[in-house]
Amino acid sequence: MKTVITFGTFDIFHVGHLNILRRASEMGDRLVVGVSSDALNLQKKNREPIYSEQERMAIVGSIKGVDAVFLETSLEKKGDYIRHYAADVLVMGDDWQGRFDGFRTQCEVCYLPRTPSISTTSIIEITRATFAQVTREC
Ligand code: CTP
């Protein structure tokens, strides 16, 4: 049984999230996903997520190929999570290229190319800009 683990905020779930989860699940027999807590997201990205940690976990957990989800509460605990879930492979998007090479002593580390032209940040920015424009026009 080959276990794959990956991490992320997965706020305003989009096709880039779907693609990385699909590719990660194809790399093993079991996919476990650490969903960043609201507090961790605030620390990492300096903003509150739009969807709460419970909502984000429910969405990610319902995706085909995802076998288990848990709340990631600290970036410092990645090694503990890898051990706890007996992960054989850590998968991350290549926006994190090189950042997790230290875990190669525990498991295989694989960076997958990001899906181009989409991110939670861009969705928020486009929505804000559109709302501002509509408000100006009214
Ligand atoms: N991801 C991806 N392709 C994208 C966006 C995200 O493969 N276009 C991957 C990231 O590399 C990460 C996972 O999805 O492994 C979760 O990313 P997350 O940070 O939650 O999503 P982003 O859209 O990158 O969020 P933000 O814009 O807030 O940084």
Side-chain angles (χ1 to χ4, degrees), residues 7-10 14 16-17 20 23 45 47 92-93 95 113-115 118-121:
F7 297 87
T9 304
F10 302 101
H14 58 68
H17 297 149
I20 198 164
R23 283 178 290 167
K45 304 197 180 188
R47 67 162 185 261
M92 298 298 296
D95 44 327
R114 277 171 73 90
T115 301
I118 188 152
S119 70
T120 299
T121 305

Side-chain angles (χ1 to χ4, degrees), residues 7 44-45 75 92-100 111:
F7 297 87
K44 266 194 322 188
K45 304 197 180 188
L75 293 178
M92 298 298 296
D94 63 2
D95 44 327
W96 296 95
Q97 188 70 45
R99 297 269 297 276
F100 296 101
Y111 303 98

Side-chain angles (χ1 to χ4, degrees), residues 8-12 34-59 70-75 81:
T9 304
F10 302 101
D11 192 21
I12 316 179
V35 173
S36 302
S37 67
D38 293 342
L40 179 57
N41 190 68
L42 184 60
Q43 187 188 318
K44 266 194 322 188
K45 304 197 180 188
N46 213 19
R47 67 162 185 261
E48 300 275 1
I50 304 292
Y51 296 158
S52 71
E53 57 195 29
Q54 288 87 2
E55 291 166 332
R56 291 180 288 110
M57 284 178 76
I59 292 166
F70 67 93
L71 202 60
E72 181 192 21
T73 57
S74 165
L75 293 178
Y81 296 132

Side-chain angles (χ1 to χ4, degrees), residues 79-130:
D80 297 339
Y81 296 132
I82 291 168
R83 236 183 325 276
H84 180 78
Y85 290 100
D88 301 287
V89 190
L90 167 62
V91 167
M92 298 298 296
D94 63 2
D95 44 327
W96 296 95
Q97 188 70 45
R99 297 269 297 276
F100 296 101
D101 287 357
F103 296 112
R104 290 194 193 279
T105 52
Q106 277 184 263
C107 64
E108 193 186 321
V109 178
C110 179
Y111 303 98
L112 295 178
R114 277 171 73 90
T115 301
S117 312
I118 188 152
S119 70
T120 299
T121 305
S122 68
I123 294 167
I124 292 172
E125 282 169 359
I126 289 165
T127 308
R128 280 211 181 109
T130 307

